[in-house]
Amino acid sequence: DAGVIQSPRHEVTEMGQEVTLRCKPISGHNSLFWYRQTMMRGLELLIYFNNNVPIDDSGMPEDRFSAKMPNASFSTLKIQPSEPRDSAVYFCASSLTGDTLSSYNSPLHFGNGTRLTVT
Amino acid sequence: DAKTTQPNSMESNEEEPVHLPCNHSTISGTDYIHWYRQLPSQGPEYVIHGLTSNVNNRMASLAIAEDRKSSTLILHRATLRDAAVYYCILRGEETSGSRLTFGEGTQLTVNP
């Protein structure tokens, strides 16, 4: 299995531009998570989906951020317009969850992240 | 969310055992104890998890205190590749649901 695939690995953009990060979860996984990591704030959950439906987006910083999961094999995180404070490493993770109990057992599999720099 | 407390950093020598502690005094009865680690420039990686009994897998062992208020991740023979940040996380219906909430973790340094 190729694991969780994120693209691009690195993104450098200017303030005000739109940025789209992409994630392909592990085939068969039905939960998908977007995290952001900075030195100041560590790893923060932005949003997670279950069966392609957003379950909790309380971590999304503001309206400039949006995430979609049009099908089970693809998700995007969009920032529009981007700002320098959005510079971070963004991770996508997936897991297989069934009933409630298994949700707390199933490990998350993370991608290698997208390093975003907004100048 | 129920919190975990870990030392900021620990040091070990190569090929020696490492015991990484975690305190979680407010753990609820349904919380699982998960451990992840993050190597430099990589995403977090699942290590092990447990509920009440001690657990072993190919990567590590997890020792859970009888009152479940603390746990210890055991790396039996540290290698240079084990240098990483180790996160102890509680996961359960009352605590976080399906989410993983990361704290600051323990930075493990392995000396050759």
Side-chain angles (χ1 to χ4, degrees), chain A residues 12-73:
Chain A
V12 180
T13 190
E14 292 183 349
M15 182 174 64
Q17 296 297 306
E18 176 181 305
V19 175
T20 299
L21 311 181
R22 297 172 175 80
C23 175
K24 177 178 170 54
I26 291 173
S27 177
H29 282 189
N30 61 346
S31 291
L32 184 138
F33 304 77
W34 282 100
Y35 282 84
R36 177 173 69 176
Q37 186 171 33
T38 61
M39 289 293 293
M40 291 294 293
R41 299 174 68 90
L43 272 159
E44 304 173 277
L45 177 66
L46 300 178
I47 185 171
Y48 82 90
F49 296 83
N50 189 253
N51 295 323
N52 310 337
V53 176
I55 302 300
D56 182 357
D57 65 355
S58 59
M60 296 286 263
E62 48 198 271
D63 292 345
R64 297 185 297 106
F65 285 68
S66 63
K68 293 183 179 179
M69 192 162 187
N71 57 61
S73 60

Side-chain angles (χ1 to χ4, degrees), chain A residues 49-119:
Chain A
F49 296 83
N50 189 253
N51 295 323
N52 310 337
V53 176
I55 302 300
D56 182 357
D57 65 355
S58 59
M60 296 286 263
E62 48 198 271
D63 292 345
R64 297 185 297 106
F65 285 68
S66 63
K68 293 183 179 179
M69 192 162 187
N71 57 61
S73 60
F74 184 64
S75 177
T76 59
L77 178 68
K78 184 181 292 186
I79 308 172
Q80 180 185 22
S82 58
E83 297 182 3
R85 59 188 167 132
D86 302 330
S87 298
V89 181
Y90 290 80
F91 291 104
C92 175
S94 70
S95 71
L96 176 63
T97 57
D99 57 27
T100 301
L101 184 62
S102 70
S103 295
Y104 314 133
N105 268 307
S106 302
L108 270 62
H109 298 262
F110 285 78
N112 282 326
T114 295
R115 181 175 294 278
L116 173 65
T117 303
V118 183
T119 59

